[in-house]
Amino acid sequence: AINHFQQVPPAFWGVLVAAIIAAEGSRVKLAWQNPFEADSLFLLKADYVPGDLGFDPLGLGKGSVDEINALKLKELNNGRVAMVAIAGMVAQELVNGINIGAAKEASFADF
């Protein structure tokens, strides 16, 4: 899977970068103060809560402050575990040169 990036058409990367720029541009407008009007650079707006982009279709952000903070902590911890898991998969593939799915099948065949 590590070498699959080279097989993706360049047009896809252009569309992906454009989508990322659009998403980050809207987030910047929502969260950051105008640098020409603020006292200094890189200031968040006073009413902005990091991570709150106004998108909550399931209504998970409703509840007490303690419940919301617990959900945020769970999300951070799960994200950290996922990053460690991906790093382990990439390391395994770099060590033995076999894709994750093929390595799994090979290990089952050994038993």
Side-chain angles (χ1 to χ4, degrees):
I2 290 177
N3 297 323
H4 291 167
F5 287 113
Q6 292 82 2
Q7 297 173 7
V8 177
F12 170 79
W13 296 116
V15 171
L16 181 66
V17 168
I20 291 171
I21 289 172
E24 288 297 319
S26 67
R27 187 187 61 82
V28 166
K29 286 182 183 178
L30 179 70
W32 295 91
Q33 293 183 14
N34 185 343
F36 300 109
E37 298 171 1
D39 295 334
S40 64
L41 296 176
F42 308 115
L43 293 177
L44 290 173
K45 293 180 180 176
D47 60 344
Y48 176 71
V49 177
D52 184 14
L53 301 176
F55 180 76
D56 188 16
L58 299 177
L60 298 174
K62 296 177 180 147
S64 70
V65 175
D66 291 335
E67 290 172 346
I68 293 171
N69 286 338
L71 285 174
K72 287 180 182 180
L73 182 62
K74 289 175 186 177
E75 184 176 356
L76 281 173
N77 287 333
N78 288 333
R80 290 173 181 149
V81 169
M83 286 187 283
V84 170
I86 290 295
M89 289 183 221
V90 169
Q92 176 203 349
E93 190 171 333
L94 288 173
V95 167
N96 63 10
I98 301 173
N99 291 343
I100 298 299
K104 183 177 168 183
E105 292 168 3
S107 65
F108 287 142
D110 294 338
F111 293 111

